[in-house]
Amino acid sequence: MSAVMALAPAARVGADADVMAALARPDCAAAVWDRAAPDGVTAWLDGLEADLLPRGRVVVRPDDVAWAVGDMCNTAGTPEGPVREAFVADVAALADRFAAQMDAAWLRVRLDVVTTNACRKFHIDALRARLVCTYRGTGTQYGMAAPRTEPAQVHTVPTGAPILLRGTLWPAPEAGSLLHRSPPIEGTGEVRLVLVLDPMERGEDDI
């Protein structure tokens, strides 16, 4: 496993994908795989008009994630080509890794195009765990905080880097008060493309 450092007491950051396994440690509430998106993907997404960015939400088996994301691209009119294929393959690879780690037979897959201050308040999600990867724009922000306060020091996940976060339903005691939020971008003209993966049980409603 590559060198791993803690930017916040309950967060682990590493340049190798294996850092994501640190979420199972009792003292870890978040893990960041400090990587870039595949070659060309970030520049390609940055160059697309907002209405051509893929978006949608669906519950599928991990093996069907590539098909689902491809369908979102088709619906949005996202240009075809090798870079789009690399983007879809990268999302599918993250989904496979996350599903295996969570032992999840189903995943809720969301691609959101964000231009406002969505989820601007620091919080913990009401689920077992969540993977967030910002493919375009400013990444998720996180930090440690006492109850009913905001973090004094805020860290921003690099574009293209996935962060794996414990939620309130994680089956173990809380590993410190690590909170996260979407970065406040309203009024800046910034357009973000954010992937969110949640483990699901078969039959759960997509809400």
Side-chain angles (χ1 to χ4, degrees):
M1 184 171 177
S2 63
V4 175
M5 62 180 178
L7 292 183
R12 298 294 181 271
V13 181
D16 191 287
D18 288 345
V19 70
M20 298 172 72
L23 201 72
R25 293 170 54 99
D27 61 346
C28 182
V32 178
W33 177 11
D34 188 10
R35 58 140 218 182
D39 288 348
V41 167
T42 299
W44 173 70
L45 290 170
D46 286 347
L48 292 179
E49 295 293 332
D51 60 357
L52 294 178
L53 294 171
R55 68 200 75 193
R57 180 173 67 173
V58 65
V59 175
V60 293
R61 291 188 180 276
D63 288 346
D64 291 328
V65 169
W67 169 85
V69 174
D71 189 58
M72 293 178 195
C73 288
N74 290 338
T75 300
T78 309
E80 297 183 7
V83 186
R84 173 175 137 171
E85 292 173 3
F87 165 68
V88 172
D90 191 62
V91 173
L94 289 180
D96 281 343
R97 181 177 292 275
F98 180 62
Q101 186 168 346
M102 296 294 107
D103 193 24
W106 296 81
L107 294 175
R108 178 165 52 203
V109 181
R110 282 171 37 207
L111 277 171
D112 291 335
V113 178
V114 183
T115 59
T116 63
N117 291 346
C119 296
R120 67 185 183 278
K121 294 184 178 180
F122 281 97
H123 64 283
I124 301 175
D125 296 311
L127 38 69
R128 182 159 58 105
R130 169 168 283 174
L131 184 148
V132 182
C133 183
T134 302
Y135 279 95
R136 171 172 165 169
T138 307
T140 298
Q141 296 180 327
Y142 66 94
M144 303 297 295
R148 295 180 294 281
T149 66
E150 292 195 352
Q153 186 174 15
V154 176
H155 306 281
T156 301
V157 180
T159 303
I163 180 170
L164 186 56
L165 295 150
R166 283 191 188 185
T168 58
L169 302 184
W170 184 266
E174 182 176 329
S177 296
L178 188 142
L179 311 178
H180 69 279
R181 71 173 181 184
S182 295
I185 61 169
E186 192 162 359
T188 67
E190 181 175 342
V191 177
R192 303 175 65 233
L193 177 64
V194 183
L195 169 71
V196 180
L197 300 175
D198 299 329
M200 302 286 287
E201 298 295 332
R202 185 173 183 178
E204 283 186 290
D205 292 331
D206 182 20
I207 58 175

